[in-house]
Amino acid sequence: GGTLSYAAFPSSGSTGGVASAFASAAAELSAIASACADGAERARRFEAYADTEFACRLAGMAAPLSLRAWLAAGACCFVCPITGAPLCDGGDDLPLTVHNLQEYVHLLAQLWLADGVAAQASAFRSGLEEVFPLSALAPFTLAELQTCLCGTMSIEWSEAELQRNIHPSGGYSKHSKVYQLLLDELQRMENKERRLFLNFVTACPHLPPAGLSMLEIEVLPQHNGGTFPTAQTCGNKLYLPEYDDAAALRSGLLEAFANADFGGLHERAVVL
């Protein structure tokens, strides 16, 4: 057994990753609150915090935006960011602000990590008990079980693995310049960017336990006239424009990653 923390939220840049960004902001607001005994001063500092940069620093977006502007642009309220289900009575009419963000994160965690999934967790436990006693899992920590079942968040791959498991198609070949640029960029990427790439192409921000070979990613030409990559996550397909250099490829990928959390540039639905 064990209790999941806010660290179990999806990572920023992945589907539902805005929850992690909000949790990070809530932690910073909590630190401000702890340092202010006076309520008026605390409210003043919260208002100042609302105007600090949020989108790039915490949400992994490409363009800067303050927390206040983010909440206003999204008309954010007390609902699940994925399903739109209210987190409390009247939640769809309760605006999300810097002053109630900590409460929002707590209620979202209850929905995603505790009460909201209690029935599913119970059914999963019952299913496991039909196969083996749960006591057999006692030696494992939560982190170890997560790695066994879901893979690791530390993403490692070699050039040889990329060549074996990322397949050019639809007119691209292993000799295509853009394919070679992609492999070079994937090797240069830091772990955070590799998670964003996997989330964009496969809808999962980490490798399966067996590694990249389980994904079999396909790279095809971008035929819809767009200048940015798009993806079909149901088939692990990446549609790439025929970029001429590494800088253009990287810029296009980062823009695509930044839109992934909002459904943009997926399923070849957007033409830019």
Side-chain angles (χ1 to χ4, degrees):
T3 301
L4 295 174
S5 68
Y6 294 165
F9 280 150
S11 59
S12 294
S14 61
T15 302
V18 68
S20 285
F22 283 158
S24 295
E28 294 176 349
L29 288 168
S30 178
I32 292 173
S34 298
C36 294
D38 180 70
E41 175 63 14
R42 181 168 58 249
R44 187 192 68 79
R45 293 193 184 184
F46 273 29
E47 286 295 323
Y49 180 89
D51 292 321
T52 61
E53 206 288 316
F54 169 81
C56 297
R57 188 172 65 89
L58 298 180
M61 302 296 286
L65 202 66
S66 70
L67 176 61
R68 189 190 308 279
W70 178 288
L71 297 177
C76 298
C77 51
F78 272 60
V79 299
C80 171
I82 294 180
T83 67
L87 299 180
C88 59
D89 290 341
D92 43 4
D93 293 320
L94 178 61
L96 180 56
T97 71
V98 68
H99 299 287
N100 58 24
L101 183 63
Q102 295 175 80
E103 180 187 3
Y104 173 86
V105 171
H106 170 72
L107 292 175
L108 185 60
Q110 287 296 111
L111 175 66
W112 283 7
L113 308 176
D115 299 344
V117 294
Q120 296 92 322
S122 177
F124 184 74
R125 177 187 291 267
S126 297
L128 284 180
E129 288 178 331
E130 292 181 3
V131 181
F132 57 80
L134 290 183
S135 58
L137 300 178
F140 298 94
T141 66
L142 283 174
E144 288 170 338
L145 286 174
Q146 184 178 33
T147 298
C148 290
L149 295 173
C150 306
T152 174
M153 292 300 291
S154 177
I155 301 168
E156 303 291 339
W157 48 44
S158 65
E159 181 179 6
E161 287 177 304
L162 292 171
Q163 289 179 338
R164 284 196 304 269
N165 301 298
I166 297 185
H167 308 291
S169 182
Y172 283 154
S173 72
K174 289 187 180 291
H175 302 292
S176 297
K177 182 176 182 179
V178 70
Y179 174 78
Q180 294 295 330
L181 289 173
L182 175 64
L183 297 195
D184 290 343
E185 179 61 28
L186 289 173
Q187 291 177 83
R188 281 194 296 266
M189 283 179 176
E190 297 181 355
N191 197 70
K192 178 181 179 180
E193 292 175 335
R194 292 181 179 187
R195 291 202 306 267
L196 294 176
F197 172 80
L198 290 175
N199 182 70
F200 180 69
V201 179
T202 73
C204 184
H206 49 76
L207 290 172
L212 191 62
S213 62
M214 295 293 294
L215 299 178
E216 298 296 327
I217 294 171
E218 190 175 0
V219 180
L220 304 98
Q222 180 62 281
H223 291 313
N224 68 1
T227 58
F228 291 100
T230 55
Q232 285 184 316
T233 55
C234 57
N236 295 349
K237 294 182 179 182
L238 173 65
Y239 296 88
L240 274 185
E242 202 161 350
Y243 294 114
D244 291 325
D245 56 64
L249 171 68
R250 177 173 175 80
S251 176
L253 286 172
L254 292 179
E255 187 67 30
F257 299 164
N259 284 273
D261 200 30
F262 304 96
L265 307 185
H266 272 118
E267 310 307 330
R268 307 184 70 191
V270 177
V271 178
L272 297 174

